[in-house]
Amino acid sequence: MEQIEKIMEMERRMESAAKAVMELSAALDNYEEAQEAIAALDAYYGSEEWKQDFADDEAGRLPADLKRGVLSEDGIWNLLSDVSELNLRIRNFFKK
């Protein structure tokens, strides 16, 4: 019976690992596709253009119903910080 239990356990491990590999592969595809957007946000945040957009928002010159998460001082910064942490995590993973 030990042999059967071992095989069953290894089968569960293989299924779990295969699922994790597929999910990570899809997530990495999405992350790769997001790199252009991340670079654009990085360039925008803190630029003169962003500062003007922020000032116009503060002055009430933008439509009230306009989504403006990119103008919150923490929104892009938090995202870019998360990107940096994720990139570090990925690099550290490959150093193992």
Side-chain angles (χ1 to χ4, degrees), residues 5 8 10 15 18 26-27 32 38 44 49 53 58 63-64 66 70-74 80 87 89 93:
E5 289 172 1
M8 290 172 61
M10 291 300 125
E15 289 172 357
E32 285 176 337
I38 291 167
Y44 176 62
E49 184 179 17
D53 293 344
E58 290 287 301
L66 178 68
V70 296
L71 299 180
S72 71
E73 295 193 54
D74 293 334
L80 295 175
N87 288 340
R89 185 175 171 195
F93 178 81

Side-chain angles (χ1 to χ4, degrees), residues 28-88:
L28 284 173
D29 288 344
N30 290 336
Y31 189 61
E32 285 176 337
E33 291 172 11
Q35 293 308 298
E36 185 179 328
I38 291 167
L41 289 165
D42 188 37
Y44 176 62
Y45 183 62
S47 69
E48 290 305 314
E49 184 179 17
W50 181 88
K51 290 175 186 175
Q52 183 61 55
D53 293 344
F54 181 82
D56 287 346
D57 185 39
E58 290 287 301
R61 291 189 282 265
L62 299 178
D65 62 345
L66 178 68
K67 284 185 76 172
R68 56 181 39 80
V70 296
L71 299 180
S72 71
E73 295 193 54
D74 293 334
I76 295 177
W77 188 90
N78 288 341
L79 173 64
L80 295 175
S81 178
D82 290 346
V83 168
S84 291
E85 288 178 24
L86 180 58
N87 288 340
L88 179 61

